[in-house]
Amino acid sequence: MKTKDVALGGVLLALSLATLFIASFIPGVELSLFTLSSFYIILMVIRTSAKAGWIFYGSSCLLAFLLIPNKLALIPYGMFFGIYGLIKHYIERIEKQAVEVLLKLLFFNGSLGISFYIFKDVFLGNIKLPDYSPVILVIGAQIFFLFYDYILTLLIGFYQKRFRNS
């Protein structure tokens, strides 16, 4: 790994930890900040390699767990938002849009299902879900996820167009 790649990883790691710290304490902006934290991993993959992205993901999870006091707030990052940039990278190499969307939805629903099953009490402790049909909640989650993926795609496109030669 080149020195400039290590330096980039350090800067992005610091930004990621700052973003996760803020997300863990300021209610209402968590999803936006988790989306931003996903983008740091994507930048690492774009600028270096997928291997560096995996190292970055592991480092960010470990350091966040060690440094951020609110451990429960880190679960969404560790279980989905942190790793999704890497999964997106691999899936989009297929270059068949229908297959890509299906695989992304499978990953999202798998992550959501595993997270909910393992951390049900953590996620829902004193929270009462709205009295909507579970089907409506699941459909809403799918729409949210597709919107999230689209926003990440726009951010990647903007970055690649703006910083293509740097």
Side-chain angles (χ1 to χ4, degrees), residues 26-61:
I26 301 179
V29 296
E30 300 98 332
L31 291 178
S32 297
L33 293 172
F34 286 142
T35 299
L36 182 58
S37 67
S38 290
F39 191 63
Y40 297 136
I41 291 176
I42 291 170
L43 286 178
M44 194 68 186
V45 171
I46 290 171
R47 299 292 295 202
T48 60
S49 67
K51 180 182 175 185
W54 283 104
I55 293 169
F56 181 88
Y57 168 69
S59 301
S60 65
C61 286

Side-chain angles (χ1 to χ4, degrees), residues 44-113:
M44 194 68 186
V45 171
I46 290 171
R47 299 292 295 202
T48 60
S49 67
K51 180 182 175 185
W54 283 104
I55 293 169
F56 181 88
Y57 168 69
S59 301
S60 65
C61 286
L62 179 63
L63 285 174
F65 182 75
L66 292 173
L67 299 175
I68 296 175
N70 186 356
K71 310 293 187 231
L72 295 178
L74 300 173
I75 293 170
Y77 177 77
M79 295 294 293
F80 176 73
F81 288 96
I83 199 167
Y84 183 68
L86 292 161
I87 300 302
K88 181 176 176 65
H89 166 73
Y90 290 114
I91 290 174
E92 291 184 351
R93 292 170 62 184
I94 295 171
E95 295 184 3
K96 293 185 180 178
Q97 194 166 18
V99 175
E100 289 177 14
V101 171
L102 177 65
L103 290 173
K104 288 175 184 179
L105 284 169
L106 283 171
F107 175 76
F108 170 69
N109 287 299
S111 295
L112 189 63

